[in-house]
Amino acid sequence: SWAFSESVMTKALLLVMMEPPSSMEAEFNDWYDTEHLPQRCALPGFESGSRWVCLSGWPRWLAIYDMASLEAVRTPDYAAVSGANSTPWSRRVLPATLGRRRVVAEQVHPGAALAPPQDTVARLALAYFPRPDADPAGPLLRAAQGASLRLFRDTDGGLWSLATFSHPVSINEAAPLMGVSTNGGAKMFNLYAPYVRLA
């Protein structure tokens, strides 16, 4: 039995990006919505799960899972449904996807905050700073205009900043609030809208 003590563990994030071929997009969304996301959200230490569609950047699909700590991806329960133990549907869909990237990171700002409810978010901006000389927390803290900001450090030392906005913004409006400039710094900067499953 795995226990997650919030008083001694740092919150963490599992972030997964990928894009299926157009011929598989309907099946990809069926798989994510009916099997994969519910399966992950039911695992010990997983506190939330959400899906996002890219408006500016690549790849098209993003999934974000808040975790009580990094231990959530090290449990026997997680191993039992991952890798070689993945479901037959996962083994069919995942190899066909493009641009797949999986990031596990610890939250370094602001404390133990979780993502706001997805139905309160109009846009999500994601920036990646590989091995920065200094944390871009200063610029991030300026984004108070309807934004919620969180900063995570991955296992390679890179920083991932996530800003959620309660109103629609363009990528050009989001960039200066996140410390992203046109002269470099961020290796990735994508803008997303909440994914909504069509009936």
Side-chain angles (χ1 to χ4, degrees):
S1 173
W2 286 75
F4 294 88
S5 171
E6 294 187 5
S7 62
V8 297
M9 292 186 175
T10 302
K11 297 285 186 184
L13 187 80
L14 172 61
L15 183 152
V16 185
M17 292 172 270
M18 66 185 83
E19 182 162 336
S22 58
S23 61
M24 285 188 70
E25 189 157 295
E27 180 182 3
F28 173 83
N29 286 322
D30 286 344
W31 163 73
Y32 235 118
D33 293 342
T34 64
E35 180 182 275
H36 195 65
L37 189 78
Q39 180 190 66
R40 289 299 185 264
C41 289
L43 292 170
F46 278 68
E47 298 181 327
S48 74
S50 59
R51 294 189 62 206
W52 306 83
V53 60
C54 196
L55 303 176
S56 179
W58 189 84
R60 186 167 183 214
W61 298 104
L62 169 70
I64 296 174
Y65 305 92
D66 277 304
M67 303 184 296
S69 79
L70 293 178
E71 293 305 310
V73 293
R74 299 170 182 159
T75 66
D77 303 77
Y78 185 85
V81 294
S82 303
N85 298 320
S86 295
T87 67
W89 204 1
S90 294
R91 292 197 300 271
R92 168 182 160 74
V93 171
L94 283 171
T97 60
L98 306 171
R100 186 158 30 125
R101 184 168 191 174
R102 177 182 180 273
V103 177
V104 178
E106 281 194 304
Q107 186 159 297
V108 295
H109 171 83
L114 296 176
Q118 191 174 18
D119 62 3
T120 68
V121 176
R123 295 290 182 269
L124 180 145
L126 172 68
Y128 170 54
F129 302 85
R131 297 190 179 88
D133 294 330
D135 291 357
L140 287 174
L141 294 175
R142 293 180 301 163
Q145 304 99 322
S148 172
L149 293 145
R150 297 189 298 159
L151 187 66
F152 298 84
R153 188 180 304 280
D154 66 26
T155 52
D156 294 324
L159 287 170
W160 294 82
S161 58
L162 281 77
T164 53
F165 296 86
S166 59
H167 57 281
V169 295
S170 69
I171 197 161
N172 291 332
E173 290 169 325
L177 301 176
M178 299 181 68
V180 177
S181 63
T182 55
N183 60 0
K187 188 173 181 182
M188 173 188 290
F189 186 44
N190 291 355
L191 184 70
Y192 300 87
Y195 163 75
V196 178
R197 184 174 176 86
L198 300 178

